[in-house]
Amino acid sequence: MSAGGSDLSWQTQKTDGGTIFVGSGGSRDSSAGRGVPQVTVAVEHYNRMVRVLERGVPVKVALDIRARFHDEPATLNGFNIIAELPGTDLRDQIVLIGGHFDSHHGGTGATDNATGVAQMMEALRILKTVGAQPRRTIRIALWGAEENGLLGSRAYVQQHIAVRDSATQQLVRKAEYERHSVYFNSDNGTGRVVGIWMQSNDAMLPICQQWIEPLKDLGVTVLGPRSVASTDHSSFDNVGIPAFQFMVDRLEYNSRTHHSNMDVVDRVQPNDLKQAATVAATFAYLAAMRDEKLPRKPVAQGGRGPGDR
Ligand SMILES: [Zn+2]
């Protein structure tokens, strides 16, 4: 390769040490046509090529790329995994917990999002093991295709909870709209839970202040008032179902593991995960035992729908 001689585009990284962040190339819009194939290399390798080129020496690179497009029908690889701990007197109502189980291809998806899946499965195992008898049914949902645009959680909401009328954008509620009290999401890496984002739902503040009181010795002290997005709770928040993302210790999520080749089990913090599962079990149980469902924000008639990130 000499300067400008190749039809490949090269990208460099925001971190070093051989860590490669691998996002998605091109567009999800199949009509957008094919862009230039992209290869992401480690910053050290990229800089070496630049240094060699700067000395006027052509660079030769041998590549072995075995990319494959998975165009199997959605019925094969488009699914969610659902399980329940049945409730008692309010069993018709649902407290939903979950996170996505799909991941990018750079590593094994350990912190995005195997840790979120493990946290929520462990939360349900804790409740079952201690013989909890929740009043509302506690349902766990492990979403497929979050990285492709929240496809799994959007499909669940559209099938069970609500859709937006394509012409008027009016919200059309479905059978389970009133049955869902809340959704708690985990998709933020392996760190311990330090709090929860209130998703601009002010009525939740006094409730969560009470809930975190006994968890303060575990380090759960923060209630963030604002809304966060870009993961599966957004699919619920957009149709007015109370939906929250836990706030966690970021550790090296942004600097090392999120969508990188270093997203592997070596980076998982088991003790933080045990704490996180305990917090999720507590929130799910307290939501399942309340007399009322959790308070809802007014939902915009016309505008963001379950399909919006
Ligand atoms: Zn994720």
Side-chain angles (χ1 to χ4, degrees), residues 100 102-104 111-113 146-147 185-189 230-232 245 253 258-259 309:
H100 72 92
D102 66 306
S103 71
H104 273 279
T111 70
D112 187 14
N113 188 37
E146 185 270 351
E147 302 291 2
N185 191 62
S186 177
D187 181 17
N188 243 339
S230 302
T231 182
D232 293 298
Q245 167 92 328
Y253 192 58
H258 185 232
H259 297 177
R309 289 205 82 164

Side-chain angles (χ1 to χ4, degrees), residues 198-237:
M198 292 289 95
Q199 216 58 30
S200 313
N201 185 336
D202 301 344
M204 277 294 292
L205 200 59
I207 296 168
C208 285
Q209 272 162 348
Q210 219 182 11
W211 286 2
I212 65 169
E213 207 46 49
L215 298 171
K216 286 196 168 151
D217 63 341
L218 288 182
V220 184
T221 57
V222 187
L223 301 177
R226 70 177 177 87
S227 291
V228 291
S230 302
T231 182
D232 293 298
H233 69 295
S234 300
S235 301
F236 295 83
D237 186 58

Side-chain angles (χ1 to χ4, degrees), residues 15-307:
T15 187
D16 57 8
T19 300
I20 300 175
F21 287 88
V22 186
S24 50
S27 159
R28 287 200 189 105
D29 170 4
S30 54
S31 65
R34 296 184 181 284
V36 177
Q38 296 173 19
V39 174
T40 306
V41 297
V43 69
E44 293 86 354
H45 298 155
Y46 183 89
N47 291 344
R48 183 160 174 228
M49 288 193 255
V50 171
R51 286 192 300 272
V52 171
L53 284 172
E54 280 168 351
R55 284 170 182 73
V57 179
V59 169
K60 272 201 192 124
V61 178
L63 291 173
D64 177 9
I65 299 174
R66 297 189 201 158
R68 192 167 75 84
F69 288 96
H70 289 271
D71 48 14
E72 300 90 343
T75 47
L76 275 184
N77 62 11
F79 58 89
N80 298 323
I81 302 163
I82 310 275
E84 288 182 347
L85 184 61
T88 50
D89 62 318
L90 296 171
R91 73 174 64 82
D92 260 4
Q93 296 180 17
I94 297 162
V95 168
L96 187 64
I97 62 174
H100 72 92
F101 69 87
D102 66 306
S103 71
H104 273 279
H105 54 291
T108 58
T111 70
D112 187 14
N113 188 37
T115 46
V117 168
Q119 176 193 355
M120 293 307 189
M121 289 176 68
E122 178 63 4
L124 215 55
R125 190 193 69 80
I126 290 169
L127 292 172
K128 193 154 174 66
T129 306
V130 299
Q133 300 278 322
R135 299 178 67 194
R136 292 180 178 83
T137 294
I138 301 177
R139 180 182 285 178
I140 184 170
L142 307 176
W143 312 112
E146 185 270 351
E147 302 291 2
N148 308 82
L150 315 185
L151 301 183
S153 60
R154 280 166 59 189
Y156 177 94
V157 168
Q158 287 167 359
Q159 194 172 331
H160 301 287
I161 295 181
V163 290
R164 282 210 184 264
D165 179 279
S166 53
T168 64
Q169 284 303 308
Q170 290 292 316
L171 197 66
V172 182
R173 292 171 172 80
K174 294 201 162 183
E176 295 197 18
Y177 191 88
E178 292 307 334
R179 292 182 57 199
H180 280 73
S181 172
V182 63
Y183 171 56
F184 294 112
N185 191 62
S186 177
D187 181 17
N188 243 339
T190 183
R192 63 181 36 239
V193 173
V194 296
I196 192 164
W197 297 103
M198 292 289 95
Q199 216 58 30
S200 313
N201 185 336
D202 301 344
M204 277 294 292
L205 200 59
I207 296 168
C208 285
Q209 272 162 348
Q210 219 182 11
W211 286 2
I212 65 169
E213 207 46 49
L215 298 171
K216 286 196 168 151
D217 63 341
L218 288 182
V220 184
T221 57
V222 187
L223 301 177
R226 70 177 177 87
S227 291
V228 291
S230 302
T231 182
D232 293 298
H233 69 295
S234 300
S235 301
F236 295 83
D237 186 58
N238 290 337
V239 296
I241 301 290
F244 308 96
Q245 167 92 328
F246 285 108
M247 199 191 290
V248 305
D249 186 342
R250 298 301 275 183
L251 301 176
E252 54 184 358
Y253 192 58
N254 290 344
S255 58
R256 184 68 66 190
T257 63
H258 185 232
H259 297 177
S260 86
N261 62 338
M262 284 298 128
D263 193 8
V264 289
V265 71
D266 313 66
R267 304 280 168 181
V268 170
Q269 305 296 328
N271 290 333
D272 285 12
L273 262 186
K274 289 171 190 165
Q275 181 261 14
T278 307
V279 175
T282 308
F283 269 64
Y285 183 73
L286 291 170
M289 296 307 283
R290 280 170 55 85
D291 291 337
E292 305 86 28
K293 285 186 290 186
L294 287 171
R296 299 183 174 200
K297 294 183 294 190
V299 63
Q301 284 297 336
R304 296 171 69 86

